[in-house]
Amino acid sequence: MPSRVKILLIYTGGTIGMKKDFETGALKAFNFSKLLQKIPELKQLDCEIETISFENPIDSSNMNPEKWAEIATIIEDNYSVFDGFVVLHGSDTMSYSASALSFMLENLSKPVIFTGSQLPIGDLRTDAKENLITAIQIASLQDNGQALIKEVCLYFEYKLYRGNRTTKINAEDFNAFISPNYSTLIESGVHLKCFPELFLPKTSLEGLKVQKLLNNHVVILKMYPGISSTVLEAILDIPKLEGLVLETYGSGNAPTEDWFLTALKKAISTGLHIVNVTQCSGGSVSMGQYETSSALKEIGVISGKDITTEAAITKLMYLLEQNIESSDFKTIFETSLRGEMI
Ligand code: ASP
């Protein structure tokens, strides 16, 4: 008899495992063992599930690169024993974490599925059970003894997305995420409808490589009409700054005023990497399409193409830790590493 698929459930915190504080009425993370008691249905799944929890589960607003390293370490330490990993995580920063982990875990040949919920698991109308149960089922999918999914994904409200393509767009609806520039990998209805042509193929024969250190000398600046040179200079003057994600308008457009372009040009010449991403939720940066982006291209701004801000900032953190020659950085950033951009 073939052995059952083994799934490791990693609990980091989030609404899924929260309950109301008696005194304040605010939602707080609580002990994971109690969470499992709330879902006896898990026993019916045709896989073996083991669990591991952050010592102190967090609201994902407290997520940071050290905690990403903790998730990566748990996966690395258990990689040979388990067939798939499900990470329970607050939805607020889930897209950042899924993006970060997609870069930190190179040559994945097993699924890492992030999920969570908008309502606590103990709530009568909770969305947690469906999200958790289907995420585990998807992490268990095998094809000829091999995992079907070999990448970091996010499962929420009947849809499996590539994690680094997602963004949280709704604080109210169960349908809280979108993947604006990449189609859904699996849809959950009466059946699981898979679109394998969209899955990330394993391209290297090498084993899992984990990068735990990220460089957080980075910042995100969202453009808005009326931005002043004082604001821009203050950002560019941040000590030790190495990377800037510039959220521009439309297809990558920004002011053509001298003070703006001169400041960016000077920053680039002193080694700052500036990535142009669009603040539109869908579509791509295309520098040179309008006059308002031609100068950005000329001064060496990196094109984020159709990347999300979440993936752009975490990709910067990941690449800046790699001693890449300054002259190669732009080309490497503009290359898709984990299916995060076209
Ligand atoms: N504030 C919560 C968190 O991100 C929201 C959620 O879990 O959905 O941890």
Side-chain angles (χ1 to χ4, degrees):
M1 203 177 94
S3 57
R4 293 210 303 168
V5 171
K6 289 186 78 172
I7 301 298
L8 183 64
L9 203 53
I10 304 166
Y11 177 57
T12 68
T15 300
I16 193 163
M18 289 187 181
K19 66 173 184 189
K20 276 215 170 94
D21 184 279
F22 280 132
E23 280 161 26
T24 63
L27 285 170
K28 271 174 50 179
F30 77 110
N31 187 294
F32 186 58
S33 56
K34 297 210 182 89
L35 183 142
L36 284 184
Q37 289 163 17
K38 307 252 187 221
I39 335 168
E41 295 92 332
L42 287 182
K43 296 203 186 74
Q44 293 172 32
L45 289 170
D46 189 24
C47 59
E48 276 177 44
I49 303 168
E50 282 186 33
T51 59
I52 189 162
S53 172
F54 270 14
E55 203 171 304
N56 297 306
I58 54 165
D59 183 298
S60 76
S61 306
N62 285 317
M63 190 45 78
N64 59 37
E66 289 72 40
K67 295 194 171 82
W68 288 336
E70 210 176 318
I71 302 172
T73 305
I74 294 174
I75 293 172
E76 182 180 39
D77 291 350
N78 291 283
Y79 197 68
S80 58
V81 179
F82 290 88
D83 302 293
F85 301 85
V86 173
V87 184
L88 294 179
H89 192 292
S91 61
D92 289 349
T93 60
M94 198 187 290
S95 293
Y96 289 91
S97 296
S99 299
L101 267 293
S102 78
F103 298 119
M104 295 164 87
L105 304 172
E106 195 176 344
N107 300 328
L108 261 185
S109 56
K110 300 181 180 186
V112 175
I113 316 277
F114 278 76
T115 194
S117 62
Q118 292 279 58
L119 283 175
I121 198 121
D123 196 288
L124 204 55
R125 294 178 50 252
T126 190
D127 53 330
K129 287 191 185 183
E130 199 288 319
N131 285 348
L132 175 55
I133 289 170
T134 308
I136 295 174
Q137 270 183 333
I138 289 174
S140 311
L141 292 175
Q142 299 261 311
D143 181 29
N144 276 326
Q146 299 271 314
L148 196 63
I149 310 280
K150 305 176 183 72
E151 57 180 302
V152 177
C153 295
L154 187 154
Y155 181 79
F156 223 85
E157 190 63 3
Y158 304 108
K159 290 198 172 102
L160 183 80
Y161 307 103
R162 174 163 303 150
N164 58 29
R165 288 292 198 155
T166 62
T167 190
K168 182 173 178 182
I169 43 105
N170 205 305
E172 165 74 22
D173 291 356
F174 287 146
N175 197 357
F177 290 87
I178 54 166
S179 169
N181 289 325
Y182 201 75
S183 301
T184 309
L185 304 182
I186 295 182
E187 279 166 20
S188 168
V190 173
H191 299 104
L192 286 180
K193 203 159 149 200
C194 298
F195 301 96
E197 67 284 4
L198 298 174
F199 299 172
L200 205 62
K202 185 167 158 56
T203 44
S204 163
L205 292 174
E206 285 178 43
L208 178 71
K209 207 168 130 201
V210 184
Q211 179 182 311
K212 291 180 198 162
L213 285 181
L214 297 180
N215 181 328
N216 70 349
H217 297 298
V218 293
V219 68
I220 300 172
L221 174 61
K222 181 169 182 162
M223 296 303 303
Y224 54 92
I227 187 170
S228 66
S229 60
T230 322
V231 168
L232 183 64
E233 296 292 351
I235 298 275
L236 297 176
D237 278 350
I238 294 172
K240 297 193 195 149
L241 189 66
E242 292 179 50
L244 163 69
V245 173
L246 190 66
E247 275 199 2
T248 58
Y249 310 120
S251 53
N253 307 318
T256 48
E257 288 165 81
D258 251 3
W259 64 266
F260 181 76
L261 292 169
T262 308
L264 293 191
K265 190 173 175 185
K266 187 171 148 229
I268 292 171
S269 70
T270 55
L272 185 72
H273 300 290
I274 302 181
V275 180
N276 186 353
V277 305
T278 172
Q279 45 183 266
C280 294
S281 53
S284 180
V285 161
S286 165
M287 287 191 283
Q289 185 177 335
Y290 288 87
E291 201 187 6
T292 42
S293 64
S294 297
L296 297 179
K297 190 174 179 182
E298 274 157 31
I299 63 175
V301 168
I302 299 167
S303 175
K305 302 183 186 175
D306 63 347
I307 201 168
T308 60
T309 296
E310 292 88 332
I313 193 80
T314 51
K315 186 172 181 179
L316 259 183
M317 290 181 176
Y318 170 76
L319 290 179
L320 286 172
E321 196 55 39
Q322 291 187 359
N323 293 327
I324 296 170
E325 283 288 330
S326 208
S327 51
D328 296 337
F329 196 91
K330 183 172 188 291
T331 312
I332 295 179
F333 194 98
E334 289 177 351
T335 307
S336 171
L337 302 177
R338 312 280 191 266
E340 75 283 1
M341 56 164 53
I342 31 172

